[in-house]
Amino acid sequence: MKKFNKVYVEITSSCNLACYFCPPTERAKQFIEVEQFKHVLDQIKPHTDYIYLHVKGEPLLHPKIDELLDISAEKGFKVNITTNGTLLKKAKSKIFMKKAIRQMNFSLHSFDGHPHSTDRLQYITTILSFAKEAVAQSKMIVSLRLWNLDQNNATNVEKKRNREALEIIEKEFGLDYQIEEKVVPGSGVKIAEQIYLNQDHEFKWPALNEQEDEGHGFCHALRNQAAILTNGTVIPCCLDGEGVINLGNVYEMDFSEIIESNRANELYDGFSRRQAVEELCRKCGYRKRFG
């Protein structure tokens, strides 16, 4: 039986922002129902103890996220939430001190990625205030993400924007150094107990209309992760936001059978040979990070 480090469970395909780096999904906008969520967790329980409430969409939009977190705790799951953080004030009462939450990831690059963002200081200080309060009262880990570097580490505009954001963080935590001096792209730096800052290069979502390469490389899809979209479609990784590699539907088949299907095993075996057998995978640059 395959065991995964994590399974991504998309609880909504809707988002409150329109960031340039995140193409909007062509799938129907929907929210997972409570009973559907329970079904999904029961299906994946033999395969993992960790779920990430994200593929596309903004998880804090879900009106019953508090109930979903309680269900996750009851079923023994540890939850990671990736959010743009803009709805934190409204959603705080629903997520604060929830037992299931292991880690909160805040995509700070969403501020500059969304064309109508205003008041960077208030945006970041709201997130930092939540982070400080949460880690003081729980074992929650907080990751502050700036994933907007280009391959030359950043354009002058990006450097200026990032410096403004990092300066706010440095002042808030009383740091006696500039974060850029310690952080390495692709990894993070600890800025306080249980709080980390991560910088990385901007990645491009794979799509069938992109140019295909020779297909060499490796991916952890179906090796340490799988994902389930709001509509029940099982996909091999968190970057197949449109469900192109549709392995089956968890509302119609057992998850255990889906991940052992011929298509799933061919993908897995292909990457064991360092070869992408799926068209979408041959158009995904993320694969090249793993050699």
Side-chain angles (χ1 to χ4, degrees):
M1 179 178 291
K2 287 190 175 78
K3 293 283 188 178
F4 300 119
N5 294 342
K6 56 198 172 188
V7 172
Y8 292 84
V9 180
E10 183 188 71
I11 60 174
T12 179
S13 54
S14 297
C15 188
N16 62 314
L17 299 185
C19 298
Y20 73 86
F21 54 78
C22 186
T25 180
E26 297 178 3
R27 294 181 283 121
K29 301 296 191 295
Q30 61 185 123
F31 294 84
I32 197 169
E33 300 287 344
V34 170
E35 292 304 314
Q36 290 176 321
F37 187 72
K38 290 180 180 178
H39 174 78
V40 168
L41 296 196
D42 288 340
Q43 289 281 302
I44 66 175
K45 184 58 181 174
H47 301 277
T48 192
D49 292 322
Y50 295 88
I51 56 175
Y52 286 49
L53 302 185
H54 184 65
V55 176
K56 286 288 188 77
E58 168 52 52
L60 298 191
L61 268 178
H62 200 291
K64 295 185 178 180
I65 190 169
D66 50 347
E67 192 171 345
L68 302 186
L69 289 171
D70 288 339
I71 293 168
S72 300
E74 291 168 7
K75 293 183 180 293
F77 286 95
K78 296 296 183 182
V79 177
N80 283 31
I81 296 177
T82 298
T83 172
N84 58 47
T86 58
L87 302 175
L88 195 54
K89 283 187 176 180
K90 293 180 180 179
K92 180 182 176 182
S93 63
K94 293 185 177 183
I95 65 173
F96 193 70
M97 296 302 291
K98 286 296 186 181
K99 179 182 176 182
I101 300 179
R102 172 188 173 270
Q103 181 168 323
M104 292 284 295
N105 303 315
F106 292 99
S107 300
L108 302 185
H109 45 281
S110 299
F111 183 89
D112 291 313
H114 182 67
H116 304 297
S117 296
T118 58
D119 201 340
R120 186 192 308 273
L121 178 61
Q122 183 181 38
Y123 167 70
I124 295 179
T125 53
T126 296
I127 292 173
L128 298 186
S129 176
F130 172 89
K132 286 182 174 181
E133 191 176 357
V135 302
Q137 300 184 44
S138 73
K139 295 181 180 180
M140 181 191 296
I141 299 168
V142 174
S143 173
L144 308 171
R145 295 176 170 180
L146 276 171
W147 289 5
N148 59 359
L149 302 180
D150 65 18
Q151 294 305 313
N152 296 316
N153 289 333
T155 63
N156 289 332
V157 173
E158 287 167 339
K159 285 181 179 179
K160 181 177 183 296
R161 290 171 173 172
N162 285 352
R163 177 89 296 270
E164 291 172 358
L166 295 174
E167 186 174 357
I168 295 170
I169 295 170
E170 290 160 2
K171 288 182 178 179
E172 191 73 23
F173 287 95
L175 303 183
D176 59 359
Y177 59 87
Q178 289 196 337
I179 291 173
E180 298 100 316
E181 298 171 1
K182 296 193 175 184
V183 72
V184 175
S187 63
V189 59
K190 184 177 182 179
I191 59 175
E193 194 63 33
Q194 298 165 230
I195 302 177
Y196 301 83
L197 188 287
N198 298 82
Q199 282 197 284
D200 206 343
H201 298 105
E202 180 183 322
F203 71 85
K204 190 172 185 179
W205 288 84
L208 292 179
N209 60 4
E210 296 294 332
Q211 186 173 353
E212 185 173 324
D213 63 22
E214 75 289 343
H216 299 316
F218 179 78
C219 181
H220 293 284
L222 295 180
R223 201 169 297 265
N224 72 6
Q225 66 168 279
I228 303 173
L229 301 178
T230 310
N231 61 13
T233 299
V234 177
I235 51 178
C237 78
C238 62
L239 293 184
D240 184 5
E242 293 305 305
V244 173
I245 308 175
N246 184 343
L247 301 176
N249 194 292
V250 76
Y251 302 139
E252 301 169 359
M253 297 174 59
D254 288 341
F255 181 77
S256 297
E257 293 180 10
I258 293 172
I259 59 173
E260 292 293 354
S261 65
N262 289 337
R263 187 175 187 181
N265 285 327
E266 286 174 1
L267 183 148
Y268 182 101
D269 293 341
F271 280 124
S272 295
R273 304 189 305 269
R274 300 299 192 269
Q275 185 66 40
V277 300
E278 290 281 348
E279 180 184 358
L280 185 70
C281 299
R282 294 193 296 271
K283 297 179 176 181
C284 179
Y286 209 80
R287 153 177 53 84
K288 297 181 179 180
R289 297 189 180 199
F290 307 110

